[in-house]
Amino acid sequence: RIALGATRGDILRLVVGHAMSITAVGLGLGVGIALASGRVIARLLYDVDPSDPVVLAAVTAFLAAVALIASALPALRATRIAPTVAIRD
């Protein structure tokens, strides 16, 4: 895409945006499943509310940050490749 005129910012936005949209779907499903299975989780945990919003928000934010880093690092590496090298390979 860089060889066809895309800027480095376009590439970074494309890769990270796609990864974060997949992450958002996964986090939404995960939080929904965690809330739906609250009774089973409550039996396994001691003195913890399975639908604690602070815990759910903290875990969601942590996983979103990990996904952001995991997608941004390869995207940054991909933007540093010279277009001629990418076409040649």
Side-chain angles (χ1 to χ4, degrees):
R1 290 181 186 247
I2 290 175
L4 297 175
T7 64
R8 286 171 165 44
D10 292 337
I11 301 297
L12 191 62
R13 231 181 339 270
L14 176 75
V15 173
V16 173
H18 183 67
M20 293 312 290
S21 65
I22 292 171
T23 301
V25 170
L27 288 174
L29 288 173
V31 168
I33 291 170
L35 290 173
S37 62
R39 290 184 182 169
V40 174
I41 294 172
R43 285 187 236 145
L44 300 173
L45 300 174
Y46 175 74
D47 201 27
V48 175
D49 182 24
S51 62
D52 186 11
V54 175
V55 172
L56 288 174
V59 169
T60 302
F62 175 73
L63 290 175
V66 169
L68 179 66
I69 293 168
S71 64
L73 292 177
L76 286 171
R77 263 187 260 133
T79 61
R80 293 188 188 127
I81 296 173
T84 55
V85 173
I87 290 174
R88 198 175 312 138
D89 288 341

